[in-house]
Amino acid sequence: MCRDRLTARVGVAARDRGCGTVRSRGAGLVGAAGSGGGPAGDRVRSRRPRSWRGVGDRVRAHRRLGAADAVPLGRPGLEPGHHLPGAAESGWLGKVQFVGKEVWIFHNRAGQGEILRRSAGGGWSAVPLPQPLWIHQDFTAVPGAAWVIGEDDTGLKVLRYDGSNWTAQPTPDGVLFLLGITARTAEDAWAWADTSTGTAVLRWDGTAWRDAKVPLPPNSNVHTILLEPSGRATIGGSQYTDGVPRTYLMTWDGHTWRTTYPPLNDTYTEAMVRGPGGALWLPVRSDRAFQSKYARVDGNRTTFSYGPRRTNAIDVKPRALTRAGSSLLSFGTAEIYGSKPNVMSERLGGRP
């Protein structure tokens, strides 16, 4: 987590702890070969897939929550009458999770943590954390469970909510700081952490948190873990050689871990998703100020593509990707010359 990040969040920065570690309909997609140092087996090709398109970029804030440029993510056209609990107080919105037909959002409300839940019927409710935390590091939710990780004056905290009650869960000895958490089911959650021996991956098996014994590359960190219903898991992170980072990916097929080094330079992988065709997609640093750029990693083949051109844009930053049926949706910010960064969204595939 070695930089400010946005995971399905807009204007909410998560603080690095030193882990060693808007709307324009664009022209057609232009393929571009990237640079980088992968092994000889990696292939980099230009391609012209279905083009990315700008989609409705207006997201209306219910009210300013105190954090600069923080806005709630909701349906386009959500009116101010649909108030979030605590919208009149200072605070910020964090990660958004879709849990069945509900939407769950982590909310810092005047310094106190809570989970906002939007039911299938459209109503909002709040689930306060059982105790205050100094740092709210990450949050994840699946049907039947939610976790919040952070710290208080006594040290690390892993808080689990089962739909009715909260429980505090201990971590293995040697864990110094929890960096992120994700879950596949209520009985299968993964976290990554700084430990006394380096970066490690932890796993909740329904009974306890244990070291998952993942053979991470030497001198590396973890940006994210992508869990899939099939049992496959993909880890994205950076390995440091002589102080220079390069991105690695590790994939668990249910039997063994396989490590690859796509030609992504030092791309931060937190926004990585599995696309409709089975390949991994993630935003990368663009060499064009007026267009976003994305990498598609399919085995040893890596290809790059650009988002729609945005007139007078001086900086376009996709921050979060998500799959929606046969489409990929991208969310981030676009800065037009003479204005502040604004929320933007783009789509690949699906109906125009």
Side-chain angles (χ1 to χ4, degrees):
M1 313 271 293
C2 297
R3 63 185 66 178
D4 285 347
R5 63 190 178 89
L6 185 86
T7 306
R9 44 178 104 173
V10 179
V12 179
R15 187 175 302 167
D16 169 40
R17 292 294 298 250
C19 45
T21 30
V22 140
R23 175 174 166 145
S24 72
R25 193 167 293 278
L29 204 67
V30 180
S35 61
D42 286 341
R43 294 185 295 165
V44 183
R45 295 184 179 179
S46 300
R47 69 190 303 268
R48 187 181 295 273
R50 297 165 296 177
S51 62
W52 287 89
R53 300 186 297 275
V55 296
D57 293 334
R58 289 189 65 192
V59 181
R60 301 183 184 180
H62 305 286
R63 281 181 199 167
R64 179 167 295 279
L65 296 179
D69 299 322
V71 297
L73 294 178
R75 299 176 302 176
L78 192 63
E79 296 297 336
H82 297 262
H83 293 307
L84 290 172
E89 303 175 49
S90 64
W92 47 262
L93 296 175
K95 184 186 287 185
V96 178
Q97 299 272 269
F98 295 90
V99 181
K101 295 183 178 181
E102 295 188 348
V103 179
W104 292 33
I105 309 174
F106 183 80
H107 181 208
N108 182 304
R109 180 175 180 175
Q112 304 298 313
E114 64 182 8
I115 298 173
L116 300 181
R117 297 176 58 177
R118 185 178 186 274
S119 69
W124 289 95
S125 60
V127 180
L129 299 191
Q131 63 183 83
L133 299 178
W134 287 359
I135 298 174
H136 303 98
Q137 182 62 27
D138 203 5
F139 154 72
T140 193
V142 292
W147 285 265
V148 174
I149 58 174
E151 294 184 36
D152 66 6
D153 56 354
T154 65
L156 303 178
K157 286 291 176 288
V158 180
L159 304 177
R160 184 179 186 270
Y161 181 65
D162 63 7
S164 300
N165 301 298
W166 289 94
T167 55
Q169 299 180 325
T171 57
D173 292 341
V175 174
L176 305 176
F177 186 70
L178 294 165
L179 299 167
I181 190 168
T182 188
R184 192 186 342 254
T185 68
E187 307 302 329
D188 185 12
W190 298 49
W192 51 106
D194 278 347
T195 74
S196 56
T197 57
T199 304
V201 175
L202 311 178
R203 190 171 182 181
W204 165 259
D205 59 9
T207 303
W209 285 97
R210 310 179 195 278
D211 188 335
K213 305 296 183 182
V214 177
L216 297 171
N219 300 317
S220 67
N221 63 14
V222 173
H223 303 158
T224 191
I225 301 177
L226 177 63
L227 303 178
E228 301 176 57
S230 65
R232 179 167 53 183
T234 303
I235 297 174
S238 295
Q239 182 181 22
Y240 289 77
T241 303
D242 296 328
V244 178
R246 67 167 174 169
T247 297
Y248 73 86
L249 299 177
M250 292 184 69
T251 301
W252 170 256
D253 62 7
H255 303 283
T256 59
W257 286 99
R258 176 176 179 265
T259 303
T260 59
Y261 294 87
L264 300 171
N265 294 324
D266 61 344
T267 294
Y268 197 64
T269 62
E270 188 182 28
M272 178 175 64
V273 298
R274 184 76 60 179
L280 293 169
W281 286 82
L282 62 160
V284 297
R285 185 180 299 112
S286 180
D287 52 347
R288 301 178 183 180
F290 53 86
Q291 285 180 289
S292 55
K293 188 176 181 179
Y294 303 90
R296 181 181 184 271
V297 181
D298 190 1
N300 287 332
R301 184 185 183 195
T302 301
T303 55
F304 297 86
S305 56
Y306 289 101
R309 293 173 178 264
R310 296 179 181 271
T311 303
N312 296 326
I314 59 175
D315 192 22
V316 182
K317 291 182 178 179
R319 302 294 187 93
L321 299 180
T322 189
R323 178 178 171 179
S326 61
S327 300
L328 278 178
L329 299 178
S330 173
F331 302 92
T333 58
E335 184 175 355
I336 307 300
Y337 181 77
S339 67
K340 294 182 179 180
N342 202 0
V343 178
M344 72 88 181
S345 55
E346 298 173 342
R347 181 176 66 193
L348 177 68
R351 292 185 298 177

